[in-house]
């Protein structure tokens, strides 16, 4: 009789795990307390997998041999606690899929920058002709990629939530970009718990692997003095706009990415690619053709000499530090911020805002905290809840050569479905305005 696998959560991760488990001969059941997206429901039905949505039925779940929990479901969830009490093995989709991986893994994590670094690493390998798959938090789940085909390399973006569910998962290259306070509600509001979660990326690595980290990050600098990290180590750092590698250097202007934070991301990606055997020649060529994901310092359009940039993914102050840090000209930014504040400490960006921002436009339902904090240093503060009005206000506040930067520092759920929706609406409004002014 086939072992019973129950999947908790039917998103990309859960559906991928269900399809892989079915393909490997398990008796599979999917349970989602919410409503499944149509595309996932259709896939589950077409695969002949039993499922439920809108509830978790204990009788259908607690008879499992293995439970694969989606990363978004916390350990404190009632059904997870019941499963643990029943002695059922609980793992993550990443851990489940890993046992069927035959290729080598480059795993990338960090509080900020992991998506850009993952996409760039994948691009470097893909452009060099490698048989490589993109998986994890960006692209398809690892489980789905394992079903589709066998690849020589897998480049995976991994969140702390996913790392929490790993046991044997072992990358050949592990990249840890930075650690700053985030998601602490998941970690009993203890920074040390969050740090432990991030370092799980290296827990199974051996001396044949490579651990890449940003050595000037304050948390990582401290942690690396007290931890035994077994694999070979490469610490990357910012020294101007020149990136030094064994035997060669790359200037940031030779890449498509700007800003100091992207020096860290680029150096990490190149270090991983070099370890995988990609040549300097192929790396240089690929760096000139890389296109970042939407909503991450995405240049949308230039109108009347004013560049509109979509950085909607910047949902915390640390991300905004990177966004503001990508520009150097004094008083040349029209900054768009606002949404649901996550306990932001705006002192972290006060100096940059004072030097670089000429106007702040608040996009949110409650802008009191933003306005109260920045009114002593900014004369031009406006607010709106309309994206169409927003781009017109921004253009009016800007001069030729300025940049309008949507880098909200806040979650988007007061006015939008998610940060992608916020960025998509901003992009559409900018392009509509560009058409209106005849450019």
């Amino acid at each position: 009789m086939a072992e019973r696998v129950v999947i908790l959560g039917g998103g990309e991760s859960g559906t991928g795990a269900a399809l892989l488990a079915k393909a490997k001969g398990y008796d599979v059941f999917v349970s989602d307390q919410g409503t499944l997206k149509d595309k996932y429901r259709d896939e589950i039905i077409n695969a002949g997998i039993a499922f439920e949505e809108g509830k978790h039925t204990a009788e259908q779940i607690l008879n499992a041999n293995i439970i694969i929990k989606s990363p978004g479901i916390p350990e404190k969830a009632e059904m997870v606690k019941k499963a643990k009490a029943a002695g059922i093995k609980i793992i993550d989709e990443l851990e489940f899929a890993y046992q069927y991986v035959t290729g080598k893994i480059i795993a990338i994590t960090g509080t900020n920058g992991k998506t850009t670094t993952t996409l760039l690493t994948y691009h470097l390998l893909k452009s060099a002709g490698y048989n490589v798959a993109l998986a994890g938090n960006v692209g398809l789940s690892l489980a789905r990629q394992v079903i589709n085909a066998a690849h020589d390399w897998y480049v995976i973006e991994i969140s702390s939530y996913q790392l929490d569910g790993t046991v044997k998962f072992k990358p050949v290259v592990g990249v840890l970009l930075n650690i700053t306070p985030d998601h602490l509600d998941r970690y009993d509001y203890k920074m040390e718990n969050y740090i432990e979660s991030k370092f799980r990326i290296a827990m199974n690595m051996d001396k044949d692997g490579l651990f890449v980290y940003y050595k000037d990050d304050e948390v990582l600098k401290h942690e690396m003095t007290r931890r035994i990290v077994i694999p070979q180590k490469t610490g990357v750092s910012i020294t101007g706009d020149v990136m030094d590698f064994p035997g060669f250097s790359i200037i940031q202007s030779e890449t498509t990415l700007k800003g100091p934070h992207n020096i860290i991301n680029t150096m990490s990606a190149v270090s991983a690619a070099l370890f995988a055997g990609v040549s300097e020649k192929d790396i240089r060529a690929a760096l000139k053709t890389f296109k970042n994901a939407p909503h991450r310092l995405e240049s949308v359009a230039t109108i009347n000499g004013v560049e509109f940039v979509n950085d909607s993914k910047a949902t915390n102050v640390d991300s905004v530090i990177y966004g503001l840090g990508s520009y150097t000209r004094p008083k040349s930014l029209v900054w768009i911020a606002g949404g649901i504040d996550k306990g932001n400490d705006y002192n972290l960006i006060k100096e940059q805002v004072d030097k670089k921002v000429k106007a702040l436009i608040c996009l949110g339902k409650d802008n009191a905290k933003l306005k109260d904090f920045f009114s002593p240093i900014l004369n031009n503060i406006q607010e709106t809840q309309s994206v169409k009005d927003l781009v017109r206000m921004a253009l009016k506040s800007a001069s030729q050569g300025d940049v309008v930067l949507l880098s909200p520092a806040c979650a988007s759920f007061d006015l939008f479905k998610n940060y992608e929706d916020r960025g998509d609406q901003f992009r559409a409004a900018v392009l509509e305005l560009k058409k209106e002014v005849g450019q």
Side-chain angles (χ1 to χ4, degrees):
M1 187 175 175
E3 276 196 301
R4 182 171 173 83
V5 169
V6 171
I7 317 289
L8 293 183
E12 172 58 33
S13 173
T15 302
L19 295 173
L20 177 59
K22 179 73 174 181
K24 297 301 180 182
Y26 288 94
D27 171 26
V28 186
F29 180 73
V30 176
S31 177
D32 195 307
Q33 205 160 28
T35 302
L36 293 170
K37 287 186 178 179
D38 291 344
K39 64 176 181 177
Y40 296 134
R41 186 187 301 108
D42 291 345
E43 284 186 306
I44 290 167
I45 291 171
N46 291 337
I49 296 170
F51 72 98
E52 66 178 359
E53 54 185 322
K55 59 183 177 179
H56 285 322
T57 304
E59 293 77 13
Q60 293 273 46
I61 296 170
L62 299 179
N63 60 356
N65 299 103
I66 303 170
I67 288 178
I68 302 172
K69 178 181 73 64
S70 291
I73 300 174
E75 296 290 319
K76 296 174 182 176
E78 196 59 37
M79 191 53 66
V80 175
K81 288 195 288 187
K82 287 181 179 178
K84 280 185 174 180
I88 301 170
K89 181 180 179 181
I90 303 173
I91 59 173
D92 185 272
E93 170 261 325
L94 200 67
E95 180 73 16
F96 179 68
Y98 172 71
Q99 65 186 310
Y100 301 107
V101 171
T102 55
K104 296 176 180 178
I105 290 173
I106 298 172
I108 297 161
T109 195
T111 306
N112 295 299
K114 55 186 176 290
T115 298
T116 297
T117 306
T118 302
L119 291 172
L120 179 55
T121 306
Y122 170 75
H123 178 72
L124 294 175
L125 270 64
K126 186 74 173 174
S127 298
Y130 281 48
N131 175 19
V132 58
L134 177 70
N137 258 14
V138 60
L140 303 175
S141 62
L142 180 61
R144 190 187 293 272
Q145 289 287 32
V146 170
I147 301 168
N148 289 343
H151 295 86
D152 297 330
W153 288 88
Y154 294 83
V155 180
I156 310 173
E157 177 188 332
I158 308 180
S159 70
S160 59
Y161 295 175
Q162 290 168 305
L163 285 168
D164 289 338
T166 57
V167 179
K168 296 181 179 179
F169 178 78
K170 177 184 173 182
V172 171
V173 180
V175 178
L176 180 49
L177 296 165
N178 46 59
I179 304 178
T180 57
D182 201 13
H183 307 301
L184 293 187
D185 55 325
R186 182 79 172 246
Y187 297 98
D188 297 326
Y189 296 96
K190 293 179 180 178
M191 185 66 177
E192 59 268 30
N193 293 348
Y194 181 53
I195 291 169
E196 288 300 325
S197 176
K198 286 296 189 186
F199 266 92
R200 290 178 71 86
I201 196 167
M203 68 180 177
N204 294 319
M205 294 179 66
D206 58 33
K207 59 183 176 56
D208 295 323
L210 176 69
F211 180 67
V212 182
Y213 67 101
Y214 175 38
K215 64 182 181 182
D216 294 331
D217 178 86
E218 287 302 320
V219 173
L220 294 182
K221 188 189 298 184
H222 171 71
E223 292 297 322
M224 292 301 286
T225 62
R226 71 182 194 88
R227 290 177 182 268
I228 299 172
V229 180
I230 292 172
Q232 304 167 52
K233 296 178 282 293
T234 294
V236 304
S237 63
I238 300 174
T239 51
D241 62 351
V242 178
M243 297 172 274
D244 293 317
F245 302 98
F248 69 99
S249 298
I250 294 171
I251 302 171
Q252 189 174 27
S253 59
E254 297 172 333
T255 78
T256 60
L257 295 172
K258 56 189 175 186
H261 62 294
N262 277 321
I263 291 177
I264 302 163
N265 298 339
T266 302
M267 290 191 74
S268 299
V270 171
S271 297
L274 287 170
F275 191 81
V278 182
S279 69
E280 176 194 342
K281 179 184 174 183
D282 285 340
I283 285 170
R284 287 187 181 277
L287 288 173
K288 293 176 180 176
T289 59
F290 176 65
K291 290 183 179 178
N292 204 355
H295 317 298
R296 294 165 182 86
L297 289 173
E298 170 196 2
S299 183
V300 176
T302 299
I303 305 173
N304 294 344
V306 177
E307 183 184 13
F308 285 75
V309 176
N310 169 20
D311 193 32
S312 183
K313 179 69 165 61
T315 59
N316 57 42
V317 172
D318 289 297
S319 296
V320 176
I321 290 172
Y322 296 136
L324 294 174
S326 299
Y327 304 94
T328 56
R329 200 158 63 86
K331 295 297 178 184
S332 62
L333 295 179
V334 175
W335 176 38
I336 301 164
I340 298 176
D341 186 280
K342 301 196 296 191
N344 290 338
D345 180 3
Y346 292 117
N347 283 298
L348 298 173
I349 54 174
K350 184 179 180 180
E351 186 178 346
Q352 283 207 71
V353 171
D354 190 24
K355 286 180 180 177
K356 300 175 183 180
V357 173
K358 68 193 306 184
L360 166 63
I361 304 177
C362 302
L363 177 66
K365 287 187 176 179
D366 182 2
N367 304 306
K369 184 175 176 181
L370 271 168
K371 290 190 297 182
D372 289 347
F373 187 89
F374 290 107
S375 57
I377 62 171
L378 291 175
N379 295 323
N380 187 352
I381 298 181
Q382 306 168 60
E383 59 184 323
T384 183
Q385 292 182 16
S386 163
V387 180
K388 287 191 175 184
D389 291 344
L390 171 77
V391 296
R392 286 158 179 77
M393 292 162 66
L395 185 60
K396 192 174 180 181
S397 297
S399 304
Q400 188 169 356
D402 288 348
V403 172
V404 173
L405 176 65
L406 170 66
S407 194
C410 299
S412 56
F413 305 116
D414 57 340
L415 295 175
F416 307 94
K417 294 176 186 174
N418 45 44
Y419 77 82
E420 291 102 329
D421 180 38
R422 175 170 58 193
D424 289 342
Q425 288 194 39
F426 175 74
R427 187 192 306 110
V430 170
L431 295 176
E432 183 182 309
L433 179 61
K434 184 178 175 70
K435 198 177 291 184
E436 278 181 23
V437 300
Q439 292 190 357

